Amino acid sequence: MSKPVNVAILGATGAVGTELLQLLESRNFPINTLKLLASPRSAGTTLKFKGETLKVEAVEAKAFQDVDIVLASAGGSTSKAWAQTIVESGAVMVDNSSAFRMNPEVPLIVPEINPEAAANHPGIIANPNCTTILMAVAIYPLHQVQPIERIVVSTYQSASGAGARAMEEVKIQSQAILNGEDPKAEVLPYPLAFNLFPHNSPLTDAGYCEEEMKMVNETRKIFGEANLKITATCVRVPVLRAHSEAINLEFKQPFSVAQAREIIAQSPGVQLLEDWQKNYFPMPIDASGKDDVLVGRIRQDISCNNGLELWICGDQIRKGAALNAVQVAELLIKESWLNKKPSTLKV
Ligand code: A2P
């Protein structure tokens, strides 16, 4: 049994924050003290943990004193604002935001793929983008057997990726439409209920949105393959929770469907789910609340010699965010990697 540690959740009241709380409980994470931090809006509200009622505090510098691990999921600007205080107070921040992911000093970790990279951290470890984690965990076992040459991915992303308020907004919009009223969009830029739209993250000069470029750059960093060819199209769909992705992989050599299935069936963090007789393959409702990324519809790409097509669904809030962060924290404890390495990181 590991020595219990002092944990703080920054963004405890959000969609990922509340999931973090549940995971710490269900996985029996070795906790000595637990602090729940959010914006001043939530100060004084309460959340349950192991049958106890805990008060949410507004984040402030002294909240991080004596904390060993901060699980941060309050957005990039909040992570940036508090990173220095957290690191100086001696805690390690496992950060769900995109603020530090591409910083060369900050490890970007998916524990099933590159756990060893977490050993050398400057007090911050980044959790990858949700769509990236889900894809990476599904395709890395194949990449290990035969290097992937090119990835073409299209995503079908649920409202949960935009937070608890976006999930609520989709429900309200759905109700409005069923009542014959016009749906209002306040959190998301356009009505999502009974609709879809290309991912609303800012567009880059090359015409890709930031979410798509996260899939490109973060997958390269996690795999340690700076030149891996990846192109992505990210789309928001009116699903409350769990993202889906259609992934096309091109290899150097032919990759048999039978071998791909066998590998997926044996790999950590993924589950093969396909019933070809019933035309039944992973759906967001199957993946919601599950730890594993569901993989199915593995088939040969008929348009090229060495291609495979797969369809995946994974819980964005769980493996795509909270679970991955908790796994990283568990890794730090198991390997005694809580001490930060000397670094010139400016935060
Ligand atoms: P609050 O509930 O007080 O607004 P989600 O991604 O589901 O929208 O959740 C975001 C989380 O980040 C919430 O817990 C939210 O707290 C928290 N948060 C947002 N802005 C800040 C901030 N400036 N300081 C601390 N926590 C913040």
Side-chain angles (χ1 to χ4, degrees), residues 248 299-305 307-309:
N248 181 282
R299 61 202 190 279
Q300 216 81 58
D301 175 354
I302 53 168
S303 73
C304 67
N305 290 333
L308 281 183
E309 292 276 358

Side-chain angles (χ1 to χ4, degrees), residues 1 6 8 10 21 32 35 40 54 57 60 70 94 96 98-99 176 181 197 241 246 253 260 283 286 297 304 333 339:
M1 176 82 182
N6 298 336
L10 177 55
L21 202 56
N32 181 35
K35 277 189 190 162
L54 301 184
E57 299 166 41
E60 55 178 334
V70 178
V94 182
N96 255 304
S98 60
E181 297 156 13
F197 47 82
R241 182 173 171 146
Q253 307 286 326
M283 294 185 278
D286 299 318
R297 263 198 111 203
C304 67
I333 295 172
N339 290 332

Side-chain angles (χ1 to χ4, degrees), residues 10-15 38-39 41-42 59 73-74 78 163-164:
L10 177 55
T13 50
S39 80
R41 288 181 292 273
S42 304
V59 58
S73 196
T78 306

Side-chain angles (χ1 to χ4, degrees), residues 9-18 37-43 45 47 56-60 72-75 77-79 81-82 160-167 187 316-317:
I9 301 179
L10 177 55
T13 50
V16 174
T18 48
L37 308 173
S39 80
R41 288 181 292 273
S42 304
T45 59
L47 290 166
V56 177
E57 299 166 41
V59 58
E60 55 178 334
S73 196
S77 54
T78 306
S79 289
W82 291 102
S160 57
R165 288 176 60 232
M167 294 168 80
V187 181
Q316 172 275 323
I317 304 178

Side-chain angles (χ1 to χ4, degrees), residues 45-318:
T45 59
T46 58
L47 290 166
K48 288 262 182 222
F49 181 71
K50 294 195 172 174
E52 274 184 55
T53 304
L54 301 184
K55 253 202 187 131
V56 177
E57 299 166 41
V59 58
E60 55 178 334
K62 70 173 195 288
F64 300 109
Q65 278 166 16
D66 300 322
V67 169
D68 300 304
I69 299 178
V70 178
L71 300 168
S73 196
S77 54
T78 306
S79 289
K80 275 192 194 149
W82 291 102
Q84 181 139 8
T85 312
I86 292 170
V87 173
E88 280 174 8
S89 73
V92 180
M93 172 163 83
V94 182
D95 184 25
N96 255 304
S97 83
S98 60
F100 301 102
R101 286 182 192 145
M102 294 314 294
N103 186 309
E105 280 205 64
V106 174
L108 184 64
I109 303 295
V110 178
E112 290 86 347
I113 301 176
N114 61 343
E116 64 295 333
N120 266 311
H121 65 78
I124 301 174
I125 294 183
N127 220 29
N129 159 268
C130 52
T131 37
T132 307
I133 298 181
L134 302 176
M135 176 174 80
V137 84
I139 66 174
Y140 188 71
L142 305 175
H143 181 66
Q144 273 183 305
V145 172
Q146 229 198 93
I148 295 169
E149 285 260 280
R150 179 167 183 252
I151 304 168
V152 182
V153 57
S154 302
T155 71
Y156 305 72
Q157 299 183 217
S158 59
S160 57
R165 288 176 60 232
M167 294 168 80
E168 203 45 43
E169 181 166 275
V170 174
K171 289 189 208 164
I172 295 167
Q173 288 173 351
S174 303
Q175 197 60 59
I177 291 170
L178 293 173
N179 291 344
E181 297 156 13
D182 281 340
K184 287 198 184 67
E186 280 159 8
V187 181
L188 293 163
Y190 310 107
L192 186 58
F194 302 99
N195 189 29
L196 56 79
F197 47 82
H199 197 279
N200 48 294
S201 51
L203 291 166
T204 66
D205 290 344
Y208 287 80
C209 67
E210 282 180 4
E211 183 84 354
E212 292 161 351
M213 290 316 295
K214 285 176 189 172
M215 294 196 81
V216 174
N217 296 324
E218 294 181 21
T219 306
R220 288 176 174 165
K221 180 168 174 179
I222 299 160
F223 282 21
E225 303 273 8
N227 299 317
L228 187 57
K229 291 181 200 154
I230 309 173
T231 180
T233 301
C234 293
V235 177
R236 273 219 195 282
V237 296
V239 169
L240 279 183
R241 182 173 171 146
H243 292 350
S244 305
E245 303 181 24
I247 306 172
N248 181 282
L249 301 175
E250 219 176 310
F251 300 86
K252 281 201 176 72
Q253 307 286 326
F255 204 131
S256 86
V257 169
Q259 192 191 8
R261 284 199 187 116
E262 208 179 300
I263 292 165
I264 295 293
Q266 293 167 3
S267 297
V270 287
Q271 187 191 328
L272 183 68
L273 183 71
E274 38 180 30
D275 185 335
W276 289 83
Q277 247 85 52
K278 294 194 178 133
N279 205 340
Y280 170 61
F281 302 103
M283 294 185 278
I285 49 172
D286 299 318
S288 290
K290 300 247 170 65
D291 287 352
D292 283 343
V293 174
L294 308 177
V295 184
R297 263 198 111 203
I298 304 178
R299 61 202 190 279
Q300 216 81 58
D301 175 354
I302 53 168
S303 73
C304 67
N305 290 333
N306 306 327
L308 281 183
E309 292 276 358
L310 11 153
W311 172 254
I312 69 166
C313 289
D315 190 318
Q316 172 275 323
I317 304 178
R318 256 178 128 88

